[in-house]
Amino acid sequence: MSTTEERQILEGILNGDEKILKAFYRDNMPYIKKYILKNAGNHEDVEDVFQDAMVFIYQKMKTDSIHLESSLRTYFYGVCKNIWRNRLRRNKKMVITDDLIDEKEHTENSIVDEIINKEQEYLYRKHFSKLGTTCQQLLTLLFKGKSMREISKVIGYSEGYTRKKKFGCKQHLIEMIEQDPAYQELKLPAKKN
Amino acid sequence: MKRTQQLFDKIEAYLARTLPLEEREAFEKEMDENPELQLEVEKHRELHAVFADEDTMAFKQQLIEISRSIREEEEAAAASTSKTTSRFLKIAASIALIIGIGSAIWYTYTIQDQNNDLYAAYYSRYPVEDVTRGDKDNVLKNILKDYASGAYKNVIDSLENSNLKESNQRLKIYLGNSYLQTENPKDAITQFASITPSSRYYEIAQWYLSLAHLKKNQPKQSIKTLKNIIEFNGSYKRKAERLLQELSE
């Protein structure tokens, strides 16, 4: 793939281009799926790692672009493998050797540190997506800074009930996060970038 | 430390800096004296910081929908080996009816007919909204004009080849409807499913999503979406309840 094509894909990821995202998903998922299933992961881990790696690239493109020393595919695989390697290490699921990552996928230390620091975010978003639709909608509006009155108008409940529902949804989210073994390993408050 | 609604309200007001000065100072003093409270406030602060990033939230939601869409396509592809069999069965069904055997095959075909009938009964095209101030753009005006006149292929070409719909969720509704009108429920599903819960078009997208699943002969997914709409408790709740009842019969 040419550098121009790779740049177009990165731009497509940044812009949320549906066609480009879908093609990227299809092209790269088989390899990552095979890798994670072969290395003590399950299907949920495959989706989590793949999506978190894409979010990582999206956020990097938003802040300061990406310098590709090798191909985009190699870069992406490196990010996926570092995420997975970090999670295995935290869960102590298997002995980690450098064989887990190919030499050409070896990622700069600064990127590895960024991946580690973002684990808390990935954890939060993973559990948020498990909430029911109403909870997701309500909390999204809350985190956007909307008042209870504005939220209750959108959701269609009374203000009092909305406040109660908000408490229930947020408490549920916090508890799901706290009960995740990965959260215990991260030991919040997390380190900042 | 017990989590209560009042505690959460106070923490949120503190983080949003809407507490009056005296209350704020009192709360900070309480945090200094109570490490558990301090930790709880920090957890809320972290949550708010992560989820305030709307762009990343929307991107993650988009990935979840893409993953779901690809999984459905793969399941459909895996089931496609039965396509030849089902074509044969439809022919065999007519013969079987005459010779009086294979009533179970006919029953399956009837279910598909019923789904089509329900779709026809409940679907009506999303109306063209009046051009709003933000639509002074000629490109958008032409898209709405094409949609109003039934030139759905033009609508699809215009919206798929631009990023307009990413900044204007309403256009995804028009695009999804254009796909439904051109007998392409699969791509319609992708559009409706990509509208996030924070959008004001979310409920209506869910309604059209349930109909698109019906058109694609996926009653189970349609039922799941209808239950979402009912739980959402908005203006489509009654309609969803009626359709759900008919689907469940």
Side-chain angles (χ1 to χ4, degrees):
Chain A
M1 195 182 288
S2 72
T3 313
T4 315
E5 281 169 331
E6 290 187 336
R7 276 288 137 202
Q8 280 174 348
I9 292 173
L10 285 171
E11 288 297 324
I13 290 173
L14 177 62
N15 295 326
D17 186 309
E18 191 89 7
K19 274 195 175 127
I20 288 178
L21 285 173
K22 217 169 180 177
F24 189 86
Y25 221 98
R26 279 191 213 279
D27 289 343
N28 296 293
M29 177 55 94
Y31 177 82
I32 296 300
K33 185 174 178 177
K34 195 172 163 185
Y35 173 82
I36 289 176
L37 292 180
K38 206 177 82 175
N39 289 293
N42 57 34
H43 289 281
E44 193 184 335
D45 294 325
V46 170
E47 291 291 336
D48 284 347
V49 168
F50 195 94
Q51 288 173 18
D52 291 340
M54 286 197 75
V55 167
F56 180 84
I57 287 180
Y58 170 79
Q59 288 180 320
K60 274 211 79 65
M61 286 299 291
K62 262 183 78 176
T63 51
D64 57 4
S65 193
I66 288 175
H67 171 62
L68 294 174
E69 285 184 1
S70 52
S71 70
L72 172 58
R73 176 164 290 187
T74 304
Y75 182 87
F76 180 70
Y77 289 174
V79 172
C80 285
K81 288 180 178 181
N82 273 289
I83 288 175
W84 186 235
R85 178 178 160 152
N86 188 46
R87 286 177 191 176
L88 282 177
R89 184 183 285 122
R90 278 209 322 263
N91 291 333
K92 300 176 181 63
K93 271 189 180 173
M94 58 187 272
V95 174
I96 307 300
T97 67
D98 285 338
D99 297 341
L100 218 58
I101 298 183
D102 292 339
E103 200 183 308
K104 62 180 188 245
E105 289 159 356
H106 192 75
T107 319
E108 293 168 25
N109 283 339
S110 60
I111 304 290
V112 174
D113 285 342
E114 273 186 71
I115 288 170
I116 291 171
N117 285 340
K118 288 216 176 275
E119 277 298 307
Q120 179 184 299
E121 275 187 44
Y122 300 150
L123 190 75
Y124 286 173
R125 285 197 205 98
K126 179 174 100 167
H127 288 292
F128 183 87
S129 67
K130 291 178 182 174
L131 292 171
T133 317
T134 308
C135 273
Q136 283 195 34
Q137 188 185 25
L138 199 160
L139 290 181
T140 300
L141 293 166
L142 174 75
F143 294 131
K144 262 188 192 178
K146 300 291 177 191
S147 68
M148 275 300 120
R149 182 178 289 185
E150 288 168 308
I151 296 173
S152 66
K153 275 190 183 151
V154 172
I155 303 288
Y157 298 146
S158 69
E159 203 176 317
Y161 186 75
T162 301
R163 200 179 294 275
K164 191 176 170 185
K165 183 87 181 161
K166 180 262 296 181
F167 167 67
C169 292
K170 202 178 187 189
Q171 184 183 34
H172 184 43
L173 174 62
I174 292 174
E175 284 171 358
M176 277 200 292
I177 290 167
E178 286 174 337
Q179 283 157 23
D180 191 319
Y183 171 84
Q184 306 299 330
E185 287 290 326
L186 286 169
K187 285 195 176 74
L188 283 169
K191 36 192 179 304
K192 299 284 181 191
N193 287 337
Chain B
M1 192 183 66
K2 194 172 186 291
R3 285 180 173 138
T4 62
Q5 192 175 310
Q6 290 72 26
L7 173 65
F8 275 33
D9 288 346
K10 194 146 210 180
I11 291 175
E12 282 152 23
Y14 172 72
L15 292 175
R17 299 185 167 275
T18 56
L19 278 184
L21 181 61
E22 264 180 35
E23 279 189 52
R24 182 180 177 83
E25 285 172 351
F27 190 66
E28 282 173 348
K29 188 161 182 276
E30 209 183 325
M31 277 167 61
D32 286 339
E33 292 162 2
N34 185 348
E36 227 184 319
L37 175 61
Q38 206 175 44
L39 184 61
E40 182 71 12
V41 171
E42 200 49 40
K43 282 181 190 173
H44 284 249
R45 195 196 304 275
E46 294 283 356
L47 270 184
H48 281 251
V50 167
F51 294 116
D53 182 353
E54 295 171 40
D55 292 343
T56 304
M57 290 297 293
F59 182 74
K60 169 82 182 185
Q61 187 65 30
Q62 194 177 10
L63 294 179
I64 290 170
E65 293 304 333
I66 284 172
S67 169
R68 185 197 54 77
S69 160
I70 290 174
R71 255 198 325 275
E72 276 183 9
E73 285 167 17
E74 285 170 357
E75 281 164 16
S80 72
T81 48
S82 74
K83 241 192 191 173
T84 311
T85 311
S86 80
R87 227 177 258 140
F88 170 76
L89 282 175
K90 280 179 190 172
I91 296 164
S94 311
I95 300 165
L97 198 66
I98 297 162
I99 61 175
I101 56 171
S103 60
I105 301 159
W106 183 249
Y107 179 70
T108 308
Y109 189 54
T110 307
I111 292 289
Q112 196 163 333
D113 265 345
Q114 283 175 359
N115 290 339
N116 289 339
D117 288 345
L118 280 174
Y119 173 83
Y122 278 87
Y123 174 76
S124 59
R125 188 183 80 156
Y126 182 69
V128 182
E129 289 176 13
D130 286 338
V131 170
T132 61
R133 198 173 288 176
D135 290 339
K136 279 193 175 139
D137 185 350
N138 275 337
V139 173
L140 271 174
K141 265 194 185 161
N142 287 336
I143 289 171
L144 294 174
K145 219 169 126 184
D146 280 333
Y147 181 84
S149 67
Y152 301 114
K153 286 197 160 46
N154 290 352
V155 174
I156 289 166
D157 284 339
S158 304
L159 287 176
E160 287 291 6
N161 290 323
S162 75
N163 277 328
L164 280 169
K165 62 186 188 303
E166 301 311 326
S167 54
N168 186 339
Q169 305 261 290
R170 175 171 60 125
L171 295 178
K172 290 182 180 180
I173 306 280
Y174 288 127
L175 181 55
N177 271 261
S178 299
Y179 277 127
L180 286 175
Q181 295 281 356
T182 50
E183 307 303 314
N184 183 354
K186 188 187 103 174
D187 286 337
I189 285 167
T190 304
Q191 291 309 314
F192 298 133
S194 70
I195 294 178
T196 56
S198 59
S199 166
R200 58 190 274 241
Y201 294 99
Y202 176 74
E203 193 192 7
I204 193 156
Q206 288 286 297
W207 171 248
Y208 279 109
L209 180 64
S210 71
L211 292 174
H213 278 305
L214 206 55
K215 191 170 177 70
K216 207 169 172 254
N217 202 30
Q218 294 175 325
K220 276 188 186 155
Q221 285 90 326
S222 183
I223 285 171
K224 192 175 163 211
T225 312
L226 290 168
K227 286 179 177 170
N228 260 359
I229 296 169
I230 291 165
E231 197 205 323
F232 190 87
N233 199 26
S235 50
Y236 279 81
K237 181 181 173 182
R238 284 242 175 98
K239 247 185 184 172
E241 281 170 337
R242 283 200 307 268
L243 178 52
L244 179 65
Q245 189 176 3
E246 291 197 62
L247 263 176
S248 308
E249 281 166 1

